[in-house]
Amino acid sequence: MPDVVFPLDSTRRFTDQEKIGHNRWHPDIPPVATVKPGDSFRVHCREWFDGEIHNDDSADDIRNAPLHIVHALSGPFAVEGAKPGDLLIVDILDIGAIPQEDSGPLAGQGWGYTGIFAKTNGGGFLTDQFPDAYKAIWDFSGQKATSRHVPHVSFTGIVHPGLMGTAPSHRLLSTWNTREAALIATDPDREPALALPPEPNGAILGSLSGPDFDRVAAEGARTAPPRENGGNQDIKNLTKGSRIFYPVFVDGANLSVGDLHFSQGDGEITFCGAIEMGGFIDLRVELIPGGMETYGVTENAIFMPGNTDPQYSEWLAFSGTSVTLDGEQRYLDSQLAYQRACLHAIDYLTKFGYSPEQAYLLLGAAPIEGRLSGVVDIPNSCATVYLPTAIFDFPVTPTAAGPVQIDPGIGAPRSSA
């Protein structure tokens, strides 16, 4: 096993550890450790809400989830010799749930969760159709996930980090905050918000204290979106065996990682759409000096996906076009087309006995594939959702006999907004 450079004690809060991570992006957050090119190392990660979500049959914790404290990130890790303009190569060697623990109060200790966030607290991809908070608990058995809240399905998890990236420079951080503030100003009272501005309340900034803490807390960018540094990309195929090339903006690169997922469908459509968990990730790092200019990778990460995904051979695909639910034609709106494809899949699954919320949670957690299938045929963009049929324990494809009626079990717990 590689050396653990960021240990976590499951009995203690994220802010009461031997080494303290962070939950904001800022170039002045000090690294917790330094690694060398060629080093392999292990990092423990806490799930993004640091234990605020519980293994029970209530969704009140999802309704009241404290967004100001996310994400609980491990790091930053300085890479010896890394300079602005380099490319940082990160290999994911291994990844899994909290090691040596198969039951307990923290997500990753034998279980994880998926949430539909309330419209007033983050929302989701289909927040207008699903404005209230719901939750599904998933139990782990090896690589398999099952749920008492979404019965009759079982699937192999594509375990991956939802969030990994390098620290921004001061200039890049200013760019982020300026452009996101301008977006917020277009509709400052919108629910859910258009973006999340810097928020000192709840900021975790490693070893910083005093005036330095106050300054960085006031400037630090929230970790919710993906940006030029990688960040919260939520790419389900970024799993074991993946190689990622990150732009370097500061000396040392200052790599951070967290938000581990046991499984996720393309898009993580419920916002907390993956199966969230704490766990470990083993990484190896290398450098390509001057690689940002050499390869033109200056404002994005590129990656080679791993080859450990479950192999599904049969799919049921649902299509959607860029026409709103009330019949308004939109011009090549691929976001809308994917929403409509998801809604068609949800409506289809209700014919077998699932509630719409159970179907929505399933699309967020199971390894569905989302594709932009046509983006040039004016006026309609076409998007598709591919649902693997093998995850169900009943026939899910259409037949002349009609849909099988399943027992939906206790259903997904709901907490109104």
Side-chain angles (χ1 to χ4, degrees):
M1 186 182 79
D3 289 340
V4 179
V5 299
F6 191 87
L8 288 174
D9 180 346
S10 294
T11 66
R12 299 160 65 186
R13 299 287 295 187
F14 188 66
T15 52
D16 187 29
Q17 300 284 334
E18 174 187 337
K19 296 181 178 180
I20 307 298
H22 64 105
N23 63 359
R24 303 289 191 266
W25 290 118
H26 198 286
D28 295 341
I29 298 173
V32 296
T34 298
V35 297
K36 297 179 180 179
D39 280 356
S40 299
F41 53 96
R42 173 164 289 192
V43 176
H44 291 173
C45 298
R46 186 61 54 84
E47 59 86 21
W48 69 317
F49 275 116
D50 188 27
E52 293 290 334
I53 310 302
H54 309 124
N55 185 351
D56 58 23
D57 298 324
S58 169
D60 289 352
D61 49 6
I62 294 290
R63 180 193 63 197
N64 301 320
L67 286 176
H68 66 289
I69 70 169
V70 299
H71 293 79
L73 297 183
S74 301
F77 306 104
V79 180
E80 189 174 293
K83 299 292 183 183
D86 294 347
L87 281 181
L88 176 66
I89 304 173
V90 180
D91 290 316
I92 300 178
L93 305 177
D94 200 2
I95 184 170
I98 297 175
Q100 286 81 50
E101 300 179 32
D102 60 6
S103 63
L106 293 178
Q109 294 177 318
W111 64 279
Y113 64 89
T114 302
I116 298 174
F117 269 46
K119 187 173 183 178
T120 54
N121 190 32
F125 190 56
L126 305 175
T127 194
D128 288 335
Q129 290 77 39
F130 296 90
D132 295 332
Y134 286 80
K135 182 173 73 178
I137 299 296
W138 300 88
D139 294 309
F140 305 157
S141 178
Q143 292 290 101
K144 293 284 188 178
T146 57
S147 175
R148 64 184 182 269
H149 297 133
V150 188
H152 302 286
V153 294
S154 174
F155 49 84
T156 300
I158 307 178
V159 185
H160 62 280
L163 196 161
M164 187 156 55
T166 53
S169 64
H170 284 278
R171 180 178 180 179
L172 183 56
L173 175 65
S174 177
T175 296
W176 292 351
N177 287 338
T178 299
R179 74 188 184 200
E180 290 171 25
L183 176 63
I184 293 169
T186 64
D187 191 356
D189 299 321
R190 184 180 185 270
E191 288 186 342
L194 289 169
L196 300 175
E199 173 54 74
N201 180 32
I204 303 170
L205 304 173
S207 60
L208 287 180
S209 61
D212 285 338
F213 182 98
D214 294 339
R215 174 182 58 82
V216 171
E219 298 171 352
R222 307 286 286 278
T223 59
R227 297 187 180 94
E228 288 89 335
N229 67 329
N232 194 29
Q233 294 183 295
D234 292 315
I235 300 170
K236 75 173 180 11
N237 303 103
L238 206 68
T239 185
K240 183 165 62 175
S242 295
R243 168 168 283 194
I244 311 100
F245 303 82
Y246 288 111
V248 174
F249 302 104
V250 301
D251 287 341
N254 286 2
L255 176 73
S256 299
V257 62
D259 189 29
L260 302 189
H261 298 163
F262 188 85
S263 179
Q264 181 200 298
D266 278 338
E268 198 186 10
I269 60 175
T270 72
F271 181 52
C272 181
I275 300 180
E276 306 286 347
M277 69 171 197
F280 73 94
I281 185 168
D282 293 345
L283 304 172
R284 180 174 56 229
V285 294
E286 295 279 3
L287 289 170
I288 301 178
M292 288 174 63
E293 181 177 357
T294 300
Y295 290 100
V297 182
T298 58
E299 58 178 29
N300 63 292
I302 59 176
F303 74 101
M304 302 166 63
N307 56 4
T308 59
D309 299 353
Q311 302 298 310
Y312 293 106
S313 59
E314 295 184 359
W315 306 80
L316 188 60
F318 301 85
S319 62
T321 58
S322 47
V323 178
T324 68
L325 286 170
D326 58 7
E328 178 189 350
Q329 180 70 64
R330 299 280 180 84
Y331 177 76
L332 296 181
D333 187 337
S334 296
Q335 177 97 345
L336 173 59
Y338 192 54
Q339 287 181 331
R340 293 303 306 272
C342 291
L343 288 169
H344 292 151
I346 290 168
D347 182 62
Y348 180 87
L349 290 172
T350 65
K351 306 305 180 186
F352 296 84
Y354 287 118
S355 71
E357 291 76 20
Q358 286 176 307
Y360 188 21
L361 287 161
L362 177 60
L363 293 186
I368 66 168
E369 292 192 0
R371 303 180 186 178
L372 299 182
S373 300
V375 294
V376 297
D377 298 312
I378 60 172
N380 273 333
S381 178
C382 178
T384 45
V385 169
Y386 285 61
L387 185 64
T389 59
I391 70 175
F392 298 93
D393 67 6
F394 61 91
V396 73
T397 55
T399 68
V404 172
Q405 295 302 296
I406 57 111
D407 178 358
I410 63 174
R414 170 183 180 266
S415 183
S416 65

